[in-house]
Amino acid sequence: FIARLIIKPIKGLSLSGSYMYGETNYDGNRYMKSPRWAVGAIYDVRHWIARAEFASAKFDERKIDAFYALAGYHFEKPWSVVARYEFLNDDTITIPNQERITLGAVYKPFKFLRLQLNMSYTMYEDLKLPEASNPSSLGANLMVSMIF
């Protein structure tokens, strides 16, 4: 069962909420209840875009929360820039909690070519490890897209 409501109160602004109820195959023999809900907003006008969404899911007694917020600016062609923050929290700590900050740029020199560079810094919190042992990572990726 899935329900989603989107409201557009003014030009460029969308507010949304959703709910999903289902069962997830746990170990091949057992299904567990897995309700999920989310709320979000998008503001997209002319050169600016901003998005944010919070979601929560429950798998039996395990609860996972996630959030992201993104802001971007489209310059007059061919450049765009974006910044994003996100987190994922698992209350049972079967996976480490994590936060990520990403900065990116897109360059489209012509209609059929897109170059995208992202730099991300990720912080992990594993409560089973001493605080000083919690790792972090810095990464970069470059994506080249061409349409033929």
Side-chain angles (χ1 to χ4, degrees):
F1 170 78
I2 300 171
R4 182 170 178 90
L5 176 65
I6 300 172
I7 299 170
K8 297 182 177 185
I10 60 173
K11 184 177 180 179
L13 178 63
S14 296
L15 305 172
S16 66
S18 62
Y19 180 80
M20 177 182 142
Y21 180 82
E23 293 185 351
T24 303
N25 189 333
Y26 181 62
D27 59 8
N29 299 319
R30 183 170 82 90
Y31 286 85
M32 64 180 151
K33 295 177 183 175
S34 55
R36 303 162 196 182
W37 63 270
V39 292
I42 299 174
Y43 186 64
D44 190 354
V45 292
R46 189 155 162 78
H47 296 287
W48 289 98
I49 186 164
R51 293 184 191 175
E53 185 173 31
F54 178 85
S56 186
K58 196 166 185 182
F59 302 95
D60 278 343
E61 298 307 312
R62 179 180 175 192
K63 183 179 175 203
I64 298 175
D65 293 328
F67 171 78
Y68 82 90
L70 170 143
Y73 186 80
H74 306 286
F75 294 94
E76 294 300 328
K77 293 184 180 183
W79 288 96
S80 297
V81 293
V82 67
R84 178 181 169 119
Y85 168 80
E86 60 191 281
F87 75 73
L88 176 69
N89 289 340
D90 181 346
D91 73 350
T92 62
I93 309 301
T94 54
I95 58 173
N97 292 335
Q98 56 185 281
E99 293 178 84
R100 178 176 298 129
I101 298 168
T102 303
L103 300 175
V106 175
Y107 176 63
K108 292 187 204 174
F110 55 91
K111 185 177 179 179
F112 301 111
L113 176 63
R114 174 186 164 118
L115 305 171
Q116 181 175 332
L117 176 65
N118 291 330
M119 300 286 295
S120 294
Y121 180 67
T122 306
M123 300 148 285
Y124 300 94
E125 178 190 28
D126 189 337
L127 297 179
K128 293 179 269 183
L129 297 175
E131 189 173 326
S133 300
N134 284 318
S136 60
S137 64
L138 179 64
N141 64 47
L142 174 65
M143 181 175 72
V144 178
S145 302
M146 295 180 72
I147 299 173
F148 297 98

